[in-house]
Amino acid sequence: MSTLVVVESPAKAKTIGKYLGSAYTVKATIGHIRDLPERGLGVDVDDDFKPTFATVKGKAKTITELKKAAKEATGVLIATDPDREGEAIAWHVADQLKVKNVRRVLFHEITKDAIRQAIQQPIDIDDRKVEAQLARRILDRLVGFKVSPLLWKAIKTGLSAGRVQTVALRLIVEREEAIRGFVPQEYWSITARCEHGKQAFDAELHKVGGHKPDIRSEQDAAAIVADVQGKPFVVTDVKRKERRKHPYAPFTTSTLQQEAAKQLGFSSRHTMRQAQQLYEGVEVGDEGSVGLITYMRTDSTRVAPSAVEAARKYIGAHFPPAYLPKSPNLYGSSKNPQAQDAHEAVRPTDVDRTPELVRPHLTKDQFRLYQLVWQRFIASQMAPTVYDTTTLDFEIGRYLFRATGSVILFDGYHRLYHEAREKGEGRTLEDLAPLPALDVGVRVKVRAIDPEQHFTEPLPRFSEASLVKELERLGIGRPSTYAQITSTLVQRHYVTLAEKRFRPSELGETVERLLIPRFPDIFDVQFTSRMETEL
């Protein structure tokens, strides 16, 4: 007789089975076993929205096998994923097995120690999580079944509306409308091309009469140039400051998706697929199947003290002493009110499994994502990058020109990890060139004073990374669903991806124009966010 352990995926079952040994039988549900029926509403709106469940297509055999295994077992431990979706699957499994000795266990990482520890600490199924999942599922079904037919009548059959999907579409369409309606405004900048001791640098016009410049025409720019042309550029103020840039927290689901999009060009869906494989277990030589990262659906940046200590130990052994802070860098919970803090941040399960060590056992994309997770986590416990910034002011009558420069004094965590940036995200300290060493009273050579015409630009279209960031900022959906939202919008031909930016199609705009005025409450950003908070 053995204990039955029920998990979601065969890959995870294989890894866990290896760690637990012959005293346990591990079986997989392969996702949900029961759900609202494919046909029909499946929700009795007249009886307190009571749901009706049906066996998921193809899962009858799985349920029969689980029932048989449960009858032969001394106990049943349900170890589906440690989130609301996993809790609902656990509830359905327990309901179908109809045996008394059923307990819940939570695996936050698939390692020998974590699994054995979790097995020793079984808990009850969390009814509140189950009800939260059911509430969302029922509301999604009501929206989908009641709203989608309107699209079929008005446009064509096969189209769908979704509670979160349509709000995401609304954001993309509204951004497109703002771009179309944008009227560029002309403005001018003036730059003094300076030189001192053969070192060239630029000083920008920073103030006019103590106020920010507002130069709207070529004539105004030319007048300022004429005013300062030929006048001496003498340093009137020097400010030197040491700036520290602290490392970013380890990844959450959302930040992992954003950074993988920017650095690796991965879609959210592809990122989550690779992360799932790394979490569930990969064959690593003689070790066999090993879970390389912690659970990848999390809002928290919190990290277990043992993992922090392991990272610090690694830094101490592989970097000079200056790269290890005197005390650990601490990262708390997410500031997002919808955050579920049950899980740690996404991190490697063992920092000594370096990317290069496991590289031969991973696919190209598994390796690239693991390297990103590993580097971000180690960097999160490293010393800050230190810059020496210098500001030089040149007062020429009522005009103030300013030059700003920066030099890296200590590369800190940047020795291992750099954050990616998208176009339009602004300059950083690294973008600034060093300035010559100058003191107050020193006159510099001016090679030219250049006026330059500019035009204001609209906000850019959403990229996958910036859309995920906006959805998270607004509290819409869950990080675990972002991948599904964006891929559905593309699959339904509501949006297209051009140059890695979302652009609504004619169909997408038609759907948005049809649904938003008719259902302003359901597809309202605040409603969707408020519901997430309540769940």
Side-chain angles (χ1 to χ4, degrees):
M1 296 288 279
S2 62
T3 300
L4 173 64
V5 179
V6 181
V7 297
E8 283 183 48
S9 82
K12 197 199 283 190
K14 183 180 178 184
T15 309
I16 291 169
K18 182 191 76 172
Y19 290 141
L20 291 178
S22 58
Y24 295 85
T25 301
V26 186
K27 290 194 173 290
T29 65
I30 317 175
H32 282 271
I33 59 167
R34 286 173 69 76
D35 196 3
L36 297 175
E38 282 188 25
R39 296 184 181 279
L41 184 60
V43 178
D44 189 343
V45 293
D46 297 320
D47 186 12
D48 200 24
F49 297 95
K50 185 179 178 181
T52 300
F53 296 108
T55 300
V56 172
K57 191 176 180 181
K59 292 299 178 70
K61 185 181 176 186
T62 302
I63 293 173
T64 301
E65 288 176 358
L66 288 174
K67 284 180 176 178
K68 184 184 176 189
K71 282 179 183 174
E72 296 170 355
T74 53
V76 178
L77 297 173
I78 304 180
T80 44
D81 286 353
D83 57 14
R84 288 193 289 232
E85 212 66 33
E87 207 71 25
I89 295 172
W91 180 76
H92 280 294
V93 169
D95 180 63
Q96 289 297 294
L97 295 185
K98 291 182 171 55
V99 291
K100 290 180 181 178
N101 49 348
V102 175
R103 299 300 304 279
R104 176 89 165 103
V105 291
L106 303 174
F107 297 148
H108 297 288
E109 59 182 84
I110 310 301
T111 58
K112 186 182 290 186
D113 289 344
I115 286 165
R116 288 182 174 172
Q117 192 175 347
I119 290 287
Q120 300 304 316
Q121 299 171 331
I123 56 175
D124 293 325
I125 291 170
D126 189 337
D127 291 335
R128 292 172 305 167
K129 274 189 185 177
V130 174
E131 286 167 4
Q133 191 275 343
L134 289 180
R136 178 188 287 107
R137 185 75 188 92
I138 290 165
L139 188 55
D140 287 348
R141 172 56 64 96
L142 290 171
V143 171
F145 262 65
K146 296 294 186 183
V147 177
S148 295
L150 283 177
L151 298 178
W152 305 343
K153 287 177 185 175
I155 308 173
K156 66 174 182 178
T157 56
L159 299 180
S160 72
R163 181 177 56 83
V164 178
Q165 166 198 315
T166 304
V167 176
L169 176 62
R170 178 180 190 169
L171 295 176
I172 294 168
V173 171
E174 287 177 351
R175 177 64 60 91
E176 192 68 24
E177 288 170 346
I179 291 169
R180 282 190 202 125
F182 185 79
V183 179
Q185 299 290 318
E186 180 184 6
Y187 70 99
W188 288 71
S189 65
I190 297 173
T191 306
R193 312 294 180 187
C194 304
E195 190 178 288
H196 185 78
K198 295 186 179 179
Q199 186 175 348
F201 65 96
D202 292 341
E204 309 276 346
L205 178 62
H206 186 62
K207 293 272 178 76
V208 178
H211 300 285
K212 188 178 177 181
D214 185 21
I215 310 166
R216 296 288 175 172
S217 69
E218 186 175 7
Q219 290 82 357
D220 290 347
I224 293 171
V225 172
D227 269 1
V228 298
Q229 196 85 52
K231 291 186 178 169
F233 267 61
V234 177
V235 179
T236 52
D237 191 24
V238 179
K239 289 190 181 73
R240 290 192 176 89
K241 193 175 180 182
E242 194 176 278
R243 299 271 297 274
R244 291 169 177 265
K245 187 178 181 185
H246 292 274
Y248 282 64
F251 284 126
T252 61
T253 305
S254 169
T255 54
L256 176 62
Q257 289 176 9
Q258 290 173 50
E259 204 68 9
K262 290 191 277 190
Q263 292 211 30
L264 309 178
F266 288 2
S267 69
S268 295
R269 192 168 200 170
H270 189 66
T271 297
M272 295 307 286
R273 192 181 299 125
Q274 303 307 308
Q276 183 97 28
Q277 292 164 4
L278 293 172
Y279 162 70
E280 290 180 346
V282 177
E283 293 288 335
V284 180
D286 295 337
E287 282 193 88
S289 186
V290 176
L292 294 180
I293 64 171
T294 53
Y295 191 54
M296 64 285 157
R297 293 189 179 96
T298 177
D299 297 315
S300 179
T301 53
R302 183 178 53 79
V303 174
S306 58
V308 171
E309 196 49 48
R312 287 176 58 80
K313 186 178 176 183
Y314 183 91
I315 296 162
H318 294 86
F319 293 88
Y323 289 86
L324 181 66
K326 286 187 173 65
S327 57
N329 296 330
L330 299 177
Y331 303 96
S333 308
S334 167
K335 292 175 184 173
N336 185 341
Q338 285 90 40
Q340 296 182 68
D341 196 36
H343 320 307
E344 288 185 60
V346 184
R347 63 167 176 82
T349 55
D350 184 348
V351 296
D352 290 324
R353 286 197 195 95
T354 62
E356 287 304 322
L357 191 68
V358 298
R359 185 174 197 161
H361 311 290
L362 304 180
T363 65
K364 181 183 175 183
D365 285 355
Q366 283 174 344
F367 166 74
R368 293 172 75 201
L369 192 68
Y370 181 68
Q371 184 179 51
L372 195 67
V373 171
W374 187 91
Q375 288 180 341
R376 173 86 161 218
F377 176 61
I378 296 295
S380 74
Q381 287 302 324
M382 293 177 75
T385 301
V386 183
Y387 301 86
D388 183 24
T389 61
T390 304
T391 302
L392 302 176
D393 283 353
F394 302 88
E395 280 191 53
I396 295 92
R398 57 196 290 265
Y399 304 108
L400 173 68
F401 283 78
R402 176 168 288 177
T404 307
S406 174
V407 62
I408 294 178
L409 295 178
F410 176 61
D411 59 358
Y413 77 95
H414 276 171
R415 179 159 177 172
L416 180 66
Y417 180 81
H418 275 79
E419 302 80 18
R421 280 186 300 142
E422 287 190 312
K423 184 182 175 185
E425 284 190 330
R427 292 197 304 175
T428 67
L429 292 170
E430 290 134 73
D431 299 324
L432 301 175
L435 293 175
L438 293 169
D439 293 316
V440 172
V442 175
R443 179 173 175 172
V444 301
K445 183 180 178 182
V446 179
R447 292 181 289 123
I449 297 177
D450 295 334
E452 189 177 352
Q453 184 187 40
H454 308 272
F455 290 93
T456 55
E457 295 183 356
L459 285 168
R461 293 182 178 92
F462 286 110
S463 65
E464 185 125 24
S466 62
L467 182 61
V468 166
K469 189 174 183 178
E470 183 69 356
L471 290 170
E472 185 179 45
R473 184 186 74 81
L474 295 170
I476 297 168
R478 304 287 314 131
S480 56
T481 64
Y482 294 155
Q484 185 65 41
I485 293 165
T486 54
S487 61
T488 300
L489 289 174
V490 174
Q491 286 166 6
R492 298 282 180 191
H493 304 292
Y494 291 165
V495 302
T496 57
L497 264 174
E499 297 176 352
K500 296 188 176 180
R501 298 274 172 176
F502 289 111
R503 190 190 291 249
S505 64
E506 190 177 335
L507 174 62
E509 293 198 42
T510 304
V511 168
E512 195 266 354
R513 280 197 299 269
L514 189 71
L515 294 182
I516 303 304
R518 284 172 173 78
F519 303 98
D521 295 337
I522 293 177
F523 300 125
D524 175 64
V525 171
Q526 277 73 34
F527 167 75
T528 310
S529 174
R530 192 169 64 249
M531 188 197 143
E532 291 295 342
T533 305
E534 289 172 4
L535 287 176

